[in-house]
Amino acid sequence: MKILTVIGARPQFIKAAVVSRALSEHRPDVREILVHTGQHYDTNMSEVFFEELHIPRPDYNLGIGGGTHGQNTGRMLEKIEELLLSEKPDWTLVYGDTDSTLAGALAAAKQHVPVAHIEAGLRSFNRRMPEEINRVLTDHLASLLFAPTDIARANLLREGVEPDSIRVVGDVMYDAALYYQARARKPAWFDALDIPIDAFVLCTIHRAENTDDPICLRGILAGLEGSELPVILPLHPRTRGKLESMALRLPANIRAVDPVGYLEMAWLEAHCKLIATDSGGVQKEAYFHRKPCVTLRGETEWVELVSHGCNLIAGHSPEAIMAHIKSCQFPAGIDGLYGNGESAPLIARSIR
């Protein structure tokens, strides 16, 4: 059996690492072909992940990135369709909610190649988010939907998805967190910051709804400025560019650093006091590391984290951000929300 796997963004590299490993261990009958669309093309945002996580080099690198959503998706569709016609896979495997996800699913569906979607059923119910459009469309193109939680499964059933096509398998990101926790490493620059371990806020900001709106970005920075703890901010290239174009200066308590690799990020998450982020993946990683999380958005796909008190929604309100950073605590006894760390083997065995 042949599987064409389409990846293109930072979180997908990590998910692909654990699923590819499970396929090789549990499914010797499977040949996997990795396609990297190039959606994240900066060296610090992609190449380093292949090196750190021991992901096999892509069989194809399409080199598509840097354009608008429409430009990227259209160019990916054309190139992925060519690969489907030449490789003739039995399945196309896609992850998450990026332009690469939608392009892979749509190209495969048009060629009548069944699609398996990992991380299916997530909903923010905010159709202004490009990611929401991508995940909804991908779910309705897929033949096999791997939902991380029962809530995700319920979302799919409400939308009329065939129940027999859904598998609740937990979250492959938890598999990755368990596998790589012993390999996490302290960034080389950390000691020079003169910040005690377990006494800082770890922050990430990258979503367009925050970085493209001066009001949102100013509000977030003002809220972070009110933190009594120093803030470490691995600065996404997109965010850095927006700060410069808007002539916004970072508050004195924010220490901006270059983007970090996954293993360095895992160390920072394990050794911070709390996390403030607009990233869906980092919200989950905060939970895996038992760190309270303040979400810098008005909603989240990971609603179970909010309902269990692990995650507080602050949006871009300075007052809410300051109050949540001050009060945020990780509740005791909250385990097993995303499976037992065996999601990837379940996925590997489910594909027929």
Side-chain angles (χ1 to χ4, degrees):
M1 178 166 52
K2 184 188 291 187
I3 295 175
L4 188 82
T5 295
V6 179
I7 55 177
R10 168 180 168 148
Q12 294 170 340
F13 301 153
I14 301 160
K15 298 167 191 173
V18 293
V19 174
S20 295
R21 189 177 303 113
L23 285 170
S24 65
E25 292 176 359
H26 297 276
R27 296 297 302 274
D29 60 317
V30 168
R31 180 192 170 203
E32 184 182 25
I33 300 168
L34 279 176
V35 178
H36 176 19
T37 65
Q39 184 172 337
H40 279 181
Y41 56 92
D42 183 275
T43 300
N44 287 328
M45 298 299 289
S46 61
E47 190 69 17
V48 67
F49 289 95
F50 290 103
E51 296 171 0
E52 288 185 343
L53 306 182
H54 308 290
I55 303 173
R57 297 288 174 179
D59 297 277
Y60 298 97
N61 191 325
L62 305 184
I64 298 169
T68 65
H69 288 289
Q71 290 170 337
N72 286 343
T73 306
R75 293 164 62 201
M76 290 174 194
L77 265 171
E78 180 181 5
K79 295 297 184 181
I80 295 170
E81 183 181 65
E82 292 175 3
L83 293 179
L84 290 166
L85 291 171
S86 62
E87 291 288 352
K88 296 180 172 55
D90 300 290
W91 283 91
T92 295
L93 183 61
V94 296
Y95 294 80
D97 54 20
T98 67
D99 293 341
S100 301
T101 309
L102 178 58
L106 186 55
K110 295 270 189 179
Q111 293 299 321
H112 308 292
V113 177
V115 174
H117 183 203
I118 293 176
E119 215 170 63
L122 300 182
R123 297 292 182 268
S124 68
F125 302 102
N126 178 3
R127 290 294 180 94
R128 292 181 60 83
M129 293 174 56
E131 296 86 353
E132 183 79 351
I133 302 299
N134 290 343
R135 63 173 72 105
V136 170
L137 293 177
T138 299
D139 282 340
H140 287 271
L141 293 168
S143 300
L144 190 54
L145 300 101
F146 294 112
T149 65
D150 288 328
I151 291 175
R153 180 178 186 273
N155 289 336
L156 294 169
L157 292 175
R158 277 197 301 271
E159 294 175 6
V161 173
E162 173 60 42
D164 289 345
S165 68
I166 305 169
R167 307 285 188 277
V168 179
V169 296
D171 198 314
V172 295
M173 291 294 286
Y174 187 37
D175 296 32
L178 293 175
Y179 182 84
Y180 291 111
Q181 63 184 358
R183 298 167 174 80
R185 61 169 179 260
K186 181 167 67 173
W189 43 258
F190 182 82
D191 291 337
L193 296 181
D194 196 27
I195 293 175
I197 288 176
D198 298 324
F200 64 91
V201 176
L202 176 62
C203 179
T204 70
I205 310 168
H206 79 281
R207 286 192 179 272
E209 64 197 75
N210 286 328
T211 61
D212 292 1
D213 188 329
I215 294 175
C216 291
L217 200 49
R218 287 193 184 97
I220 290 170
L221 294 178
L224 295 173
E225 187 176 17
S227 169
E228 297 176 355
L229 297 172
V231 179
I232 294 178
L233 175 62
L235 202 52
H236 192 285
R238 175 183 177 84
T239 309
R240 186 182 294 276
K242 293 295 182 178
L243 288 170
E244 293 172 356
S245 67
M246 297 176 191
L248 294 177
R249 293 186 178 181
L250 294 176
N253 67 325
I254 296 181
R255 315 294 177 84
V257 298
D258 288 335
V260 295
Y262 178 71
L263 299 180
E264 292 175 323
M265 187 66 177
W267 188 93
L268 291 168
E269 289 168 341
H271 292 90
C272 67
K273 180 72 172 178
L274 63 92
I275 291 172
T277 185
D278 61 5
S279 163
V282 175
Q283 291 173 48
K284 284 186 299 176
E285 288 166 357
Y287 167 76
F288 299 152
H289 291 284
R290 299 299 188 264
K291 302 293 181 178
C293 182
V294 175
T295 292
L296 306 175
R297 289 165 51 194
E299 72 286 309
T300 180
E301 304 79 44
W302 306 104
V303 294
E304 56 279 338
L305 294 177
V306 177
S307 63
H308 285 86
C310 308
N311 190 346
L312 299 176
I313 303 295
H316 59 269
S317 162
E319 295 77 18
I321 293 170
M322 283 187 281
H324 289 343
I325 287 177
K326 185 174 182 180
S327 65
C328 201
Q329 299 288 331
F330 193 88
I334 307 299
D335 297 305
L337 294 183
Y338 299 108
N340 59 4
E342 293 292 325
S343 300
L346 285 174
I347 290 168
R349 289 192 289 264
S350 293
I351 297 176
R352 293 288 182 265

